[in-house]
């Protein structure tokens, strides 16, 4: 590879040689190819003369090219040679350019790759499917003052004969691998390095002058490689691994074998300016991508239908890895809030999809990089791991990786290995979770019979729109665990529910003892208790005898049942008030999230202020207990909780919080006393929510001055909190300016849509007015789906659902088709919820304020 540059465009020239076998005589070769101009192509059979192709027929719609030859290519091995030119594009896919600023303020470009799912074909013609594996010998011709990296280690670097400013860098041959995992990067970088305990060279590449910020990720990576080697009992197969921060990057990170690419915010940590949630995010993303080096790279899915195998597995084991490196993060409780409940929210929709989904055209692949593949995938693997037990699970994983290394596998292959290791009916159980969409609601009631409790369980599909009324009766094989107040952390009974109804007898349970299903919130189902069973659980929330993850699960189930109209929202609000003594960050985080959803819903009413009063009442006791400054002996979770609570109180207009935020912000801006990184988001959002044009200008100035992408993103995410219409417009215009990196525009617009009722309308109008530019920028990628979801999900009337549907019918976005359907469904569900419950909620808020009646 080498490249040339004109003022507006960057081009790369490439020569590629394929050694392959002609299995059937033909005079045509069909390959994947997109945005590439072939100059010449020829085929040379082994030991014979080369034949030049006489025609290149591009099928742009199918991203293919047909090379035609004047004579028949006979069976046997040979070499196909293609000379071609491509453009270093600005679309963050294929071989593209990434803009960065040097320490002296110059604007420059790095050349980087992002090939998953189907974009290797934008860098070179190839057979761009996961099952068509090959080895790759890569050489790059690059400016001599640039760093050049690829999947493997450098084996030769020599001056380029035609130009003394260039060098040719040659890399070792890769193992047999899929095209989507090939990578190369050329740019200016510093690095830090270490060797893992098992001798692998680990490097973290950072922007020039920021090597220090790579140390945290380096430490995590060096600990993680030996952890996975032990867990899988399979060594890491390459001599080195590089982790590199890329300025313009659409995803969070990409697991290219031996050269993992990251957004700067997913890799770089500044000890002084990075907040606790950023450290945790970096640890999780590093854990996720390194897991793929085995699960995805060494053994690859057969086809994109099995993408969930890659992503669901890595999204589960990243938590196992972080729990190993940082036990103080209580990361498995956070999993429930971050992944499990998120997946259930999406999977309750009629427009969800099964984990295993058939995929045809490339545009359909992008669409399945969603919460079902990642978060539901991870949740069912967590449930499976719990059902099998760790020892047999590891045995099964080793069987699978050993049997299929350097090959491809399907979901059934994993089940077979785990079945062999555990002796349990894995395929029968798991097919009910991966081949059909949705999950069950388990209704449970209890009857006391002398010293025993008799439980009756009924399973039905859980639907976001209310009780399931379908003709068919989908059924799941559900691993059920039951605990009691006797020992809330230990299962009194475990059973596989493999029919629609089940009656169980719990021995020696007294009438005053409570019973809870789904210990640890591990089973992927929701539970609806009979009123008296629920009543008996409420004191266990108040006195904290129920473990945090069970308190969270109980509250989240109730909130979802209310959203679906199965119970009243007022019932949930009453339960939320029982969390007054709650100390756990993740439980508060989930509670906060649900109150945020309710708050958005009620922004469509004239009693929006009432829910702000409720939020202040629920959050102020914990806010007072925590205060503003860390206390001796506090750790990671206290820092996260303080940020969450102060942000919630500040946004709701809690007087003391607002005053203190303003005081601290003034000191921060004047340089008297810098805000700690953990307090910046809550202070910034409070200042903007209750601020004017001066507040916005100050924030934009801080954004411009920020040297670290994390700080820029932190500001970008909260700008939408501003409430005056003309300032909202200013923020939206800023979103598309040069000041905001292309991948971050989405979070600025999303922040405006989520910030206020006026913001929601303005953001939707802005997206429609600028649709062409936004679509061209993100077309085909998942950022377009994210943009649509963030912009329209909060609407709550039938007319808006029709408007959104009509807009996307006349402005099609194929890779976001399902997202649009899901958003329209959500808008209609919000409208129904509002109609059903708004008046009751209003009455409840009024009654809370009323003085108690005199007797």
């Amino acid at each position: 590879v080498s490249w040339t540059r004109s003022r507006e465009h960057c081009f790369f020239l490439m020569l590629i040689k394929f050694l392959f076998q002609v299995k059937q005589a033909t005079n045509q070769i069909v390959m994947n190819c997109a945005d590439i101009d072939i100059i010449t192509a020829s085929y040379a059979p082994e030991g014979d003369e080369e034949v030049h192709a006489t025609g290149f027929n591009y099928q742009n719609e199918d991203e293919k090219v047909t090379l035609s030859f004047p004579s028949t290519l006979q069976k046997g091995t040979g070499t196909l040679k293609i000379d071609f030119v491509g453009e270093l594009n600005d679309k963050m896919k294929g071989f593209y350019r990434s803009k960065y600023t040097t320490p002296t303020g110059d604007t420059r470009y790095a050349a980087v790759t992002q090939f998953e799912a189907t974009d290797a074909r934008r860098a070179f013609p190839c057979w761009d499917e996961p099952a068509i594996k090959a080895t790759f010998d890569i050489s790059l011709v690059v400016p001599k003052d640039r760093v050049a990296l690829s999947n493997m280690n450098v084996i030769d670097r020599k001056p380029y004969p035609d130009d003394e400013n260039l060098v040719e860098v040659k890399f070792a041959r890769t193992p047999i691998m899929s095209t989507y995992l090939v990578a190369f990067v050329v740019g200016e970088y510093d690095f830090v390095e270490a060797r893992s305990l098992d001798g692998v060279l680990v490097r973290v590449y950072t922007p020039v002058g920021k090597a220090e910020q790579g140390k945290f990720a380096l430490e995590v990576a060096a600990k993680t490689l030996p952890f996975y080697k032990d867990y899988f009992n399979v060594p890491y197969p390459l001599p080195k691994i590089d982790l590199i921060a890329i300025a313009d990057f659409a995803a969070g990170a990409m697991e290219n074998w031996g050269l993992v690419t990251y957004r700067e915010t997913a890799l770089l940590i500044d000890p002084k300016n990075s907040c606790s949630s950023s450290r945790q995010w970096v640890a999780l993303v590093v854990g996720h991508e390194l897991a793929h080096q085995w699960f995805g790279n060494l053994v690859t899915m057969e086809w994109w239908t099995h993408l969930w195998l890659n992503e669901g597995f890595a999204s589960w084991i990243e938590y196992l890895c972080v729990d190993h490196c940082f036990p103080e993060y209580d990361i498995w409780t956070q999993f429930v809030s971050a992944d499990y409940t998120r997946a259930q929210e999406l999977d309750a929709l009629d427009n969800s999809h099964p984990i295993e989904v058939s995929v045809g055209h490339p545009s359909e692949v992008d669409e399945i990089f969603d919460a079902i593949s990642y978060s539901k995938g991870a949740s069912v693997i967590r449930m499976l791991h719990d059902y099998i037990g760790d020892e047999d699970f590891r045995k099964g994983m080793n069987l699978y990786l050993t049997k299929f290394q350097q090959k491809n596998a399907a979901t059934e292959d994993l089940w077979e290995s785990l079945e062999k290791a555990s002796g349990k009916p894995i395929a029968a159980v798991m097919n009910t979770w991966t081949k059909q969409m949705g999950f069950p609601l388990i209704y449970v009631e209890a009857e006391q019979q002398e010293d025993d409790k008799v439980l009756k369980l009924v399973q039905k599909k859980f639907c976001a729109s209310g009780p399931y009324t379908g003709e068919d009766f989908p059924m799941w094989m559900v691993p059920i665990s039951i605990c009691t107040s006797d020992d809330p952390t230990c299962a009194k009974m475990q059973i596989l529910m493999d029919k629609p109804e089940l009656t169980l007898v719990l021995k020696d349970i007294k009438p005053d003892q409570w019973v809870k299903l789904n210990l640890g919130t591990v089973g992927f189902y929701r539970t609806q208790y009979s009123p008296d069973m629920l009543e008996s659980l409420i004191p266990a929330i108040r006195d904290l005898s129920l473990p945090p993850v069970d308190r969270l699960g109980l509250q989240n189930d109730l909130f979802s049942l209310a959203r679906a109209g199965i119970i009243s929202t007022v019932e949930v609000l009453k339960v939320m008030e029982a969390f007054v003594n709650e100390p756990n960050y993740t439980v508060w985080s989930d509670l906060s999230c649900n109150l945020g959803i309710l708050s958005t819903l009620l922004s469509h009413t004239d009693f929006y202020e009432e829910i702000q009063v409720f939020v202040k009442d629920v959050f102020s006791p914990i806010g007072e207990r925590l205060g503003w400054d860390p206390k001796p002996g506090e750790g990671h979770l206290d820092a996260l909780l303080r940020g969450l609570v102060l942000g919630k109180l500040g946004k709701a207009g809690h007087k003391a919080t607002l005053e203190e935020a303003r005081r601290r912000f003034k000191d921060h801006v004047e340089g008297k006393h810098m805000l700690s990184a953990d307090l910046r988001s809550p202070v910034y959002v409070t200042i903007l929510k209750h601020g004017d044009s001066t507040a916005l200008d100050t924030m934009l100035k801080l954004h411009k001055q920020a040297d670290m992408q994390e700080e820029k993103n932190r500001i970008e995410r909260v700008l939408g909190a501003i409430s005056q219409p003309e300032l909202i417009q200013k923020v939206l215009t800023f979103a598309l300016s040069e000041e905001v990196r292309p991948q971050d525009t989405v979070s600025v617009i999303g922040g405006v849509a989520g910030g206020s009722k006026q913001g929601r309308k303005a953001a939707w109008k802005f997206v429609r007015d600028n649709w062409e530019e936004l679509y061209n920028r993100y077309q085909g990628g998942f950022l377009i789906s994210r943009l649509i979801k963030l912009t329209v999900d909060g609407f709550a009337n039938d007319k808006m659902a029709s408007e959104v549907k009509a807009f996307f019918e006349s402005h099609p976005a194929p890779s976001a088709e399902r997202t649009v359907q899901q958003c329209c469904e959500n808008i209609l569900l919000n409208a129904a919820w509002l109609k059903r419950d708004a008046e009751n909620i209003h009455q409840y808020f009024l009654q809370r304020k009323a003085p108690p009646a005199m007797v």
Side-chain angles (χ1 to χ4, degrees):
V1 187
S2 59
W3 59 78
T4 58
R5 179 178 298 165
S6 71
R7 178 168 295 177
E8 289 303 317
H9 299 278
C10 261
F11 297 95
F12 61 89
L13 308 164
M14 203 181 279
L15 164 67
I16 190 158
K17 289 181 188 173
F18 295 95
L19 180 64
F20 70 96
Q21 200 172 8
V22 177
K23 294 204 165 172
Q24 201 177 330
T26 178
N27 63 351
Q28 288 189 333
I29 295 177
V30 182
M31 313 172 76
N32 291 114
C33 172
D35 303 336
I36 275 170
D37 286 324
I38 294 173
I39 302 162
T40 61
S42 63
Y43 177 72
E46 208 173 330
D48 210 337
E49 281 181 26
E50 76 180 323
V51 186
H52 284 272
T54 47
F56 315 127
N57 179 17
Y58 298 97
Q59 295 103 56
N60 293 337
E61 190 59 31
D62 292 331
E63 300 184 342
K64 286 178 181 167
V65 65
T66 302
L67 310 179
S68 302
F69 292 86
S71 54
T72 304
L73 312 180
Q74 299 301 330
K75 280 162 67 168
T77 52
T79 304
L80 175 68
K81 199 161 88 177
I82 305 175
D83 265 305
F84 61 93
V85 64
E87 185 181 352
L88 276 179
N89 68 65
D90 290 321
K91 291 179 179 168
M92 296 187 286
K93 60 183 184 179
F95 195 13
Y96 72 93
R97 59 185 195 167
S98 167
K99 189 169 156 185
Y100 63 97
T101 309
T102 65
T104 55
D106 296 344
T107 297
R108 290 190 188 156
Y109 290 93
V112 303
T113 57
Q114 167 60 37
F115 291 163
E116 191 179 25
T118 55
D119 291 314
R121 63 192 66 175
R122 287 174 205 284
F124 50 91
C126 56
W127 292 275
D128 199 8
E129 296 183 8
I132 306 180
K133 289 189 165 188
T135 59
F136 293 84
D137 298 327
I138 293 171
S139 294
L140 300 172
V141 177
V142 304
K144 64 182 181 189
D145 58 351
R146 295 291 189 269
V147 172
L149 302 169
S150 186
N151 304 83
M152 296 298 287
N153 48 304
V154 174
I155 51 171
D156 191 25
R157 183 185 172 99
K158 58 183 184 210
Y160 188 59
D162 301 348
D163 186 336
E164 61 178 27
N165 295 311
L166 299 177
V167 288
E168 183 174 347
V169 184
K170 191 174 180 198
F171 299 90
R173 174 170 292 179
T174 71
I176 296 171
M177 62 187 282
S178 304
T179 47
Y180 80 89
L181 294 165
V182 173
F184 20 93
V185 174
V186 183
E188 297 174 286
Y189 298 96
D190 285 345
F191 67 85
V192 283
E193 69 177 13
R195 273 198 191 272
S196 68
L197 285 174
D198 37 3
V200 179
L201 179 64
V202 185
R203 282 183 173 177
V204 175
Y205 283 85
T206 73
V208 172
K210 295 186 178 178
E212 190 74 10
Q213 293 178 17
K215 283 186 172 171
F216 178 74
L218 181 69
E219 185 189 317
V220 176
K223 271 188 192 170
T224 297
L225 285 175
F227 172 73
Y228 286 149
K229 179 195 166 188
D230 291 347
Y231 196 84
F232 299 130
N233 199 14
V234 173
Y236 173 71
L238 306 187
K240 63 94 178 173
I241 188 156
D242 297 326
L243 293 72
I244 184 166
I246 305 293
D248 294 329
F249 197 76
M254 173 62 208
E255 69 267 19
N256 315 301
W257 215 357
L259 175 57
V260 186
T261 44
Y262 293 78
R263 273 190 187 200
E264 288 186 7
T265 49
L267 191 69
L268 305 180
I269 289 295
D270 176 342
K272 281 199 183 69
N273 291 301
S274 287
C275 60
S276 303
S277 57
S278 292
R279 299 172 87 83
Q280 181 176 299
W281 171 239
V282 167
L284 283 167
V285 180
V286 169
H288 180 102
E289 304 309 333
L290 295 194
H292 277 312
Q293 306 302 305
W294 284 262
F295 215 92
N297 301 7
L298 182 65
V299 177
T300 311
M301 71 235 145
E302 184 68 42
W303 179 244
W304 299 107
T305 298
H306 307 282
L307 169 77
W308 87 275
L309 263 187
N310 270 15
E311 297 305 348
F313 186 84
S315 299
W316 168 75
I317 206 166
E318 69 185 64
Y319 283 86
L320 197 70
C321 158
V322 168
D323 194 45
H324 164 76
C325 295
F326 304 100
E328 70 277 14
Y329 284 10
D330 181 30
I331 204 75
W332 280 116
T333 305
Q334 295 193 55
F335 174 89
V336 175
S337 185
D339 283 88
Y340 172 100
T341 57
R342 185 167 156 246
Q344 287 190 336
E345 202 174 304
L346 182 55
D347 206 25
L349 298 178
D350 294 341
N351 285 295
S352 180
H353 64 86
I355 281 179
E356 289 185 69
V357 64
S358 59
V359 170
H361 194 270
S363 70
E364 293 169 23
V365 181
D366 286 317
E367 206 169 17
I368 57 170
F369 283 82
D370 66 358
I372 300 296
S373 295
Y374 283 73
S375 299
K376 183 181 180 181
S379 299
V380 299
I381 284 175
R382 175 171 169 256
M383 176 169 72
L384 174 64
H385 173 266
D386 188 67
Y387 172 59
I388 295 178
D390 190 61
E391 196 180 327
D392 286 347
F393 187 84
R394 289 170 75 159
K395 245 185 253 169
M397 294 308 309
N398 175 263
L399 277 174
Y400 171 80
L401 288 170
T402 312
K403 182 176 178 182
F404 293 100
Q405 59 186 322
Q406 299 200 351
K407 299 192 188 88
N408 295 77
T411 303
E412 292 68 34
D413 298 315
L414 179 60
W415 298 162
E416 195 183 307
S417 297
L418 290 169
E419 209 154 284
K420 205 175 271 183
S422 68
K424 290 186 171 177
I426 305 302
V429 171
M430 293 310 288
N431 285 344
T432 68
W433 297 98
T434 66
K435 290 189 185 299
Q436 61 181 353
M437 75 178 202
F439 59 92
L441 169 66
I442 294 186
Y443 179 77
V444 55
E445 53 189 39
E447 189 190 327
Q448 192 72 31
Q449 290 184 359
E450 294 174 358
D451 286 344
D452 303 338
K453 264 193 170 62
V454 177
L455 301 186
K456 187 181 175 200
L457 277 57
V458 179
Q459 65 157 301
K460 275 190 179 160
K461 183 179 190 303
F462 178 72
C463 296
S465 54
Y468 180 69
T469 53
E471 306 274 298
D472 57 335
F473 284 98
M475 210 192 71
W476 288 262
M477 292 178 79
V478 193
I480 301 273
S481 59
I482 301 169
C483 66
T484 69
S485 46
D486 218 18
D487 185 352
T489 60
C490 183
K492 175 94 175 168
M493 182 183 275
Q494 287 177 304
I495 192 159
L496 189 67
M497 183 176 186
D498 55 1
K499 43 184 180 281
E501 298 192 10
L502 195 59
T503 302
L504 306 168
V505 179
L506 286 181
K507 296 276 182 197
D508 303 322
I509 304 290
K510 297 182 180 62
D512 61 347
Q513 284 185 288
W514 53 255
V515 170
K516 184 184 179 295
L517 262 65
N518 205 2
L519 171 71
T521 318
V522 173
F524 197 74
Y525 57 90
R526 291 203 180 280
T527 310
Q528 184 185 1
Y529 295 95
S530 63
D532 53 337
M533 284 185 84
L534 179 61
E535 194 67 33
S536 69
L537 283 164
I538 304 300
I541 293 175
R542 270 185 204 280
D543 68 16
L544 310 178
S545 56
L546 203 56
V549 71
D550 293 285
R551 300 196 294 268
L552 188 162
L554 188 61
Q555 177 269 135
N556 199 285
D557 279 353
L558 286 170
F559 188 76
S560 296
L561 290 168
R563 248 180 130 167
I566 295 169
I567 61 172
S568 147
T569 306
V570 170
E571 275 184 63
V572 188
L573 291 168
K574 287 177 180 168
V575 171
M576 284 177 168
E577 297 202 60
F579 283 83
V580 52
N581 304 316
E582 182 57 58
N584 184 280
Y585 160 69
T586 314
V587 177
W588 275 115
S589 171
D590 199 70
L591 197 64
S592 163
C593 196
N594 289 337
L595 279 170
I597 290 166
L598 194 56
S599 199
T600 300
L601 184 79
L602 298 181
S603 68
H604 300 280
T605 69
D606 53 9
F607 60 92
Y608 177 64
E609 280 314 309
E610 303 293 338
I611 188 158
Q612 302 314 311
V613 172
F614 183 81
V615 167
K616 285 184 275 193
D617 289 350
V618 170
F619 279 83
S620 51
I622 179 80
E624 276 161 36
R625 283 204 300 276
L626 284 167
W628 279 80
D629 298 305
K631 298 174 182 68
E634 282 189 353
H636 176 78
L637 292 164
D638 302 290
L640 293 180
L641 180 57
R642 180 173 287 108
L644 174 82
V645 171
L646 291 175
K648 203 76 179 169
L649 287 168
K651 263 202 304 193
H654 181 257
K655 195 164 174 291
T657 307
L658 178 53
E659 284 169 6
E660 184 63 9
R662 283 180 171 151
R663 188 184 71 74
R664 289 183 181 238
F665 184 67
K666 187 170 179 288
D667 285 355
H668 177 72
V669 172
E670 289 171 1
K672 284 185 196 157
H673 195 278
M674 297 303 282
L675 279 166
S676 74
D678 285 313
L679 287 178
R680 287 182 202 171
S681 278
V683 168
Y684 292 171
V685 80
T686 303
I687 293 301
L688 284 163
K689 183 77 182 169
H690 307 283
D692 54 13
S693 59
T694 313
L696 180 60
D697 289 345
T698 308
M699 210 57 87
L700 292 173
K701 195 168 139 198
L702 285 179
H703 181 276
K704 203 174 181 61
Q705 289 165 354
D707 176 46
M708 204 181 176
Q709 198 52 34
E710 180 190 321
E711 175 75 351
K712 285 189 186 292
N713 283 173
R714 188 183 286 132
I715 293 167
E716 287 160 2
R717 280 197 296 268
V718 297
L719 288 173
I722 202 89
S723 49
Q724 295 89 320
E726 69 282 4
L727 300 181
I728 288 172
Q729 285 310 320
K730 187 172 178 177
V731 171
L732 289 167
T733 308
F734 173 76
L736 272 180
S737 72
E738 286 281 306
E739 296 289 320
V740 178
R741 286 197 180 156
Q743 69 265 25
D744 299 321
T745 297
V746 173
S747 52
V748 181
I749 298 171
V752 171
S756 61
K757 188 181 176 181
Q758 306 90 301
R760 199 171 306 118
K761 283 183 183 161
W764 171 230
K765 184 177 185 313
F766 184 80
V767 166
R768 283 175 311 179
D769 292 348
N770 295 278
W771 178 250
E772 207 168 311
E773 182 178 347
L774 289 162
Y775 186 65
N776 283 339
R777 186 187 277 200
Y778 305 124
Q779 66 179 0
F782 61 88
L783 281 173
I784 202 79
S785 295
R786 188 174 294 172
L787 175 71
I788 294 167
K789 185 174 167 50
L790 288 171
T791 309
V792 305
D793 238 13
F795 287 116
N797 66 53
D798 300 5
K799 191 169 138 289
M800 278 310 305
S802 308
E803 187 179 301
V804 171
K805 187 167 179 273
F807 179 79
F808 288 107
E809 274 168 2
S810 57
H811 301 79
S815 70
E817 211 171 299
R818 189 182 276 122
T819 300
V820 171
Q821 291 162 351
Q822 289 164 350
C823 289
C824 292
E825 185 179 346
N826 267 328
I827 295 169
L828 295 172
L829 289 168
N830 288 341
W833 186 12
L834 204 54
K835 208 174 288 177
R836 191 176 58 235
D837 266 0
E839 192 42 45
N840 290 343
I841 296 170
H842 192 193
Q843 288 310 315
Y844 175 68
F845 287 154
L846 290 176
Q847 170 208 321
R848 282 181 81 250
K849 284 201 314 198
M854 299 299 283
V855 178

